[in-house]
């Protein structure tokens, strides 16, 4: 061990209570759920911490640092926890910077920004795009990883070929040193008085200066000769600075993996966003040809050049991604047009011409359209977690995942690796940034199997040794050393240079509290492997966190989809020790839509809730199931709504119903701010008696309209619109007997009750060719009925029904009838679409947009965050009104930014939530209502 032994107190609440006293109660957590959620990152390791600090200011960072140093407690900074090396987990305090997530300053002209470390890369670039700018380094985890982690790992990605790694794009850092003092780590001229002052003030900097001067020859000798390296400390970058007469401090801290100091902000360099981009997929018949084609393709100055080998293509599924069966490797090439003179089409022709010299299995697929380009990238970006689907036991294990060789030798490296793993009989995916010679190697192993475990250890040593010896490469291009490569850093650089790394570490972190076990450590890479987790289906990649609305507002891993997976599948889980978090999920299903590994966290949570059904909700839903009585009660409420729905009465109602609402959840209430829909005095079924089949009567129409509860009970015109639209398409639908589809019932844990209703619906919908829906949640629930009846007699009927469920927007898109629409409209109305989560989860995303864009008089605008939850799912507006309003705030900003006058959607809960959150800033309508309006306008206009 190179750092002093740390005194780690037994598990106790002392650390958290001390920290609470120092920085505030709300920012420190140490309950079971939080510690469980923070025990993992995206690596193969697990370490349970003692306390979590969610810092909100530099003062919080410095106070936590001082406390950890005084008490000798390990301190691990953490951003999104997507590293693959175990560098954001630790046994002491985890300092999470996620709440520091703003752009502090942007200078468009000079192309730089001061940014806090908790901002997600995708969010950063989205904001910069408004000014036509971009932060170049782009790890494939860009949807979820945060700047702090990117800085500390010196991350890079496919576009590093063009824009460099993080180290090439950072001008300055604010670093909290172990002393609790702040250092402005930028590039100083060596003779600059500021530099002299800095050296006087900070001893570690003086030590560093001496070390660089005394060992310049050794550093030069040991410099990696490949184009990328994130192994060890970047003394090479510092030595380059010295040669230019400057002290280039960002070079030391970028890539230091939280072992030398904590960042509170960075000044990053920005580039112009390309005007246009071309993405191409090229399938090669022979691997050797790829190696030969790369130097020629590099002459086109691509911004990205990625490779996936034959095994990878097999593992992700060739058919699913339309990859020819005989492709030995696939290249993904991207070309940017930024200068005025770049002609991308001409470039595409040159590229095709180069590729034709080799044996391709099919013509290159070339895309200019952003959506098509995204599709081409999709499989590549989610490759690692997608591999989790391959086998229930054999998981993708990151232990030799990030080697670098000369770009022209990558074909040779891939051939060597394929032979090595074939010899071991281990399936392996090999892919990566071929233009930089950076290969990601992900073998699939069952680490709980002794044989596979031995293969992992053997592969770790043999492959790293071969990369260093035969290829003269690096063991780490961009993922960092962390726990997984720390053991090999000495071998990579030799004992003398390693000794300099140790001296740097000891100088900046004399008490050894800063992220111990990372980068500079002799611990074997097999320490702390999470054998239990590696037999579970979750890759801990955090892609779900990026879409989880609860994580979005709390920025804390215990309030996140990935964290909840850990908690509800933990061996020590109990409803009582985790009720707070299990009840916090909205059941919006965004996580399920996003997960590349096929995990449904929302379902796991529903399973846990089903073990503890909510009593109060049970009373309500049982009453709800007594249809006649329930409807009489609703009509009574409807009659007196003009009285009880007045502001003063609503406040009184809020007060009076509180004790009752608490039965639903601690936070539940009927907030007076909640814009309730008007209840119908005559329900939909009362208004359309002619569409209701008599009891025992066979279906009279091939199409049933499953209106669900909201369209029946609310007087909002949605049900009428769906019926009117169907009629325009020549369909007179039946309104067969129906019970609540079950979404809210399951949300409160009443699965038996949900099944009871589902049985009624299965029976009454059995005869119809199509079951049309208007409500997003009903659409998904009906399609999901097979999961309610696994292995039960009803499953076959449920599967048959799932295929026949059709959302009204799908129905209109597929209908052969094309009703007339008004030919022209005098005024145009700006309409944006809010894509309800449950409709997205049901796979309906394009149809509503396409319909809206084609309506006369509608100027369709795609609003930012259209695919994000608005916070209304799972009756959250009632269950936790305050949080639901924090969630909708992002949607409100998006609507404002889009300038939309109308927001169209298809979920009653979303409609209530948007009306409440938007407070009249835009009108809210169901997609069917807008379609109906277009047809009616045509009727008014008469024949052309
Ligand atoms: C599916 C997938 C794809 C990936 N693809 C790529 C890729 O293409 N390229 C790539 O480079 N990486 C990739 N990664 C790895 C990882 O996403 C990146 O390294 C990322 O930049 C880490 O960011 P993070 O916010 O998750 O950091 P974390 O995991 O939270 O932390 C990473 C390191 O940064 C330190 N740290 C965090 N914040 C601070 C701070 N404020 N001050 C000091 N130290 C801090 C932590 O202690 C830790 O050492 C991928 C990961 C996944 C799961
Ligand atoms: S549930 Fe899916 S998306 Fe979420 S962390 Fe696990 S694998 Fe990744
Ligand atoms: S269902 Fe929604 S709120 Fe629940 S974990 Fe998934 S994304 Fe988060």
């Amino acid at each position: 061990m190179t750092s002093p032994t740390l005194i780690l107190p037994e598990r106790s609440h002392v650390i958290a209570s001390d920290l609470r006293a120092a920085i505030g109660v709300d920012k420190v957590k140490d309950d079971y759920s939080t510690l469980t959620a923070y025990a993992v990152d995206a690596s193969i390791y697990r370490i349970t911490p003692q306390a979590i600090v969610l810092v909100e200011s530099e003062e919080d960072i410095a106070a936590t640092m001082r406390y950890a140093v005084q008490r000798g407690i390990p301190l691990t900074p953490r951003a999104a926890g997507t590293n693959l090396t175990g560098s954001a987990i630790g046994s002491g305090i985890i300092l999470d910077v996620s709440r520091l997530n703003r752009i502090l300053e942007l200078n468009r002209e000079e192309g730089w920004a001061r940014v806090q470390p908790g901002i997600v890369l995708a969010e950063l670039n989205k904001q910069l795009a408004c000014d036509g700018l971009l932060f170049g380094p782009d790890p494939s985890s860009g949807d979820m990883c945060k700047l702090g982690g990117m800085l500390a790992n010196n991350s890079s990605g496919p576009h590093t070929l063009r824009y460099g790694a993080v180290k090439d794009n950072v001008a300055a850092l604010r670093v909290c040193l172990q002393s609790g003092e702040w250092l402005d780590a930028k590039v100083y001229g060596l003779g600059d008085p500021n530099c002299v002052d800095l050296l006087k003030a900070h001893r570690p900097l003086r030590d560093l200066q001496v070390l660089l001067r005394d060992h310049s020859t050794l550093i030069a000798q040991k410099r990696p000769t490949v184009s990328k390296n994130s192994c060890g400390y970047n003394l090479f970058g510092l030595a380059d600075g010295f040669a230019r007469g400057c002290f280039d401090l960002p070079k030391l801290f970028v890539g230091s993996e939280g072992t030398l100091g904590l960042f509170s902000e960075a000044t990053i360099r920005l580039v112009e966003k390309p005007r246009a981009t071309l993405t191409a997929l090229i399938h090669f018949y022979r691997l050797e040809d790829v190696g030969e084609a790369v130097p020629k393709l590099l002459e086109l100055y691509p911004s990205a050049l990625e490779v996936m080998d034959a095994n990878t293509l097999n593992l992700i599924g060739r058919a699913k991604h339309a990859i020819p069966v005989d492709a030995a490797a696939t290249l993904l090439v991207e070309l940017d047009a930024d200068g005025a003179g770049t002609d991308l089409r001409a470039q595409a022709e040159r590229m095709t011409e180069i590729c034709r010299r080799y044996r391709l299995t099919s013509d290159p697929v070339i895309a200019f359209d952003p959506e098509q380009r995204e599709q081409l990238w999709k499989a590549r970006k989610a490759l690692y977690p997608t591999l989790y689907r391959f086998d229930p036991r054999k998981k993708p294990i990151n232990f030799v995942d990030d080697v670098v060789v000369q770009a022209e030798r990558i074909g040779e490296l891939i051939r060597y690796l394929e032979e090595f793993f074939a010899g071991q009989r281990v399936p392996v995916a090999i892919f990566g940034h071929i233009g930089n010679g950076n290969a990601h190697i992900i073998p699939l192993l069952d680490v709980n199997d002794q044989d596979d475990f031995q293969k992992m250890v053997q592969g770790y040593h043999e492959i790293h040794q071969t990369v260093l010896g035969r290829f003269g490469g690096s063991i780490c291009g961009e993922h960092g050393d962390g726990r997984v490569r720390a053991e090999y850093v000495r071998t990579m650089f030799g004992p003398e240079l390693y000794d300099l790394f140790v001296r740097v570490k000891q100088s900046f972190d004399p008490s050894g509290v800063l992220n111990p076990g990372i980068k500079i450590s002799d611990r074997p890479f097999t320490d702390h492997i999470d054998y239990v987790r590696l037999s579970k289906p979750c890759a801990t990649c955090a892609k779900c966190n990026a879409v989880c609305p609860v994580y979005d507002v709390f920025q804390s891993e215990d309030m996140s989809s990935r964290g909840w997976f850990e908690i509800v599948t933990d061996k020590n889980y109990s409803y009582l020790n985790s009720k707070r978090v299990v009840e916090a999920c909205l059941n919006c299903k965004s996580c399920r839509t996003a997960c590349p590994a096929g995990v449904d966290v929302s379902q796991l949570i529903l399973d846990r809730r089903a073990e503890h059904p909510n009593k109060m909700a049970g009373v309500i839903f049982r009453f709800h199931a007594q249809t006649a009585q329930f409807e009489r009660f609703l009509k009574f409420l409807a009659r007196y709504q003009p009285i009880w729905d007045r502001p003063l009465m609503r406040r009184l109602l809020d007060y009076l119903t509180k004790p009752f609402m608490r039965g639903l959840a601690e936070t539940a209430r009927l907030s007076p701010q909640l814009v309730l829909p008007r209840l119908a005095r005559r329900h939909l079924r009362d208004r359309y008696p002619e569409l209701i089949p008599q009891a025992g009567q066979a279906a009279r129409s091939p199409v049933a309209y499953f209106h669900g509860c909201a369209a029946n009970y609310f007087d909002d015109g949605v049900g009428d619109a769906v019926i009117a639209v169907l009629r325009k398409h020549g369909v007179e639908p039946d309104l067969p007997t129906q019970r609540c589809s079950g979404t809210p019932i399951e949300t409160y844990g009443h699965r038996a009750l949900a099944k009871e209703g589902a049985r009624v619906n299965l029976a009454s919908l059995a005869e119809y060719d199509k079951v049309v829906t208007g409500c997003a949640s009903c659409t998904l629930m009906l399609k999901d009925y097979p999961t309610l009846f696994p292995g039960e007699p009803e499953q076959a009927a449920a599967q048959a029904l799932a295929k026949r469920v059709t959302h009204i927007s799908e129905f209109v898109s597929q209908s052969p009838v094309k009703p007339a629409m008004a030919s022209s409209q005098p005024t145009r109305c700006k309409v944006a679409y809010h894509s309800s989560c449950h409709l997205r989860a049901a796979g309906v995303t394009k149809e509503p947009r396409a319909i809206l864009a084609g309506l006369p008089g509608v100027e369709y605008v795609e609003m930012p965050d259209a695919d994000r939850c608005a916070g209304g799912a799972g009756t959250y507006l009632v269950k936790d009104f305050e949080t639901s309003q924090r969630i909708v705030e992002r949607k409100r900003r998006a609507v404002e930014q889009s300038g939309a006058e109308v927001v169209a959607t298809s979920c009653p809960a979303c409609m209530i939530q948007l009306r409440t959150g938007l407070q009249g800033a835009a009108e809210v309508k169901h997609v069917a209502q807008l379609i109906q309006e277009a047809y009616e306008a045509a009727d008014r206009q008469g024949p052309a």
Side-chain angles (χ1 to χ4, degrees), residues 333-405:
V333 188
E334 195 145 284
L335 299 169
D336 288 342
D338 32 22
T342 321
D343 178 351
L344 277 187
R345 302 221 171 246
Q347 291 281 80
E349 268 171 38
R350 279 186 63 199
M351 184 176 64
T352 314
E353 194 266 314
I354 291 174
C355 293
R356 282 216 186 96
R357 297 176 207 162
Y358 306 97
R359 218 174 133 195
L360 304 182
T361 58
S362 55
D363 278 342
V365 184
I366 297 178
F368 292 89
D369 171 67
E371 206 178 311
Q372 284 173 352
R373 289 183 32 240
E374 205 179 306
Q375 279 308 317
L376 297 185
W377 274 107
K378 205 172 169 185
R380 164 65 188 90
K381 286 197 173 177
L383 229 166
Y384 156 64
T386 305
L387 294 174
Y388 259 71
R389 289 174 182 262
F390 178 72
D391 188 293
R393 283 184 312 110
K394 291 192 185 292
K395 301 293 176 198
I397 308 292
N398 287 291
F399 62 96
V400 277
D401 49 292
D402 194 24
V403 306
V404 193
V405 300

Side-chain angles (χ1 to χ4, degrees), residues 100 132 145 161 263 328 396 451 485 577 615 704 716 801 854 884:
L100 295 169
C145 76
L161 199 54
F263 315 145
D451 207 25
R485 277 172 282 274
N577 67 18
K615 287 200 183 96
D716 60 0
L801 172 66
S884 84

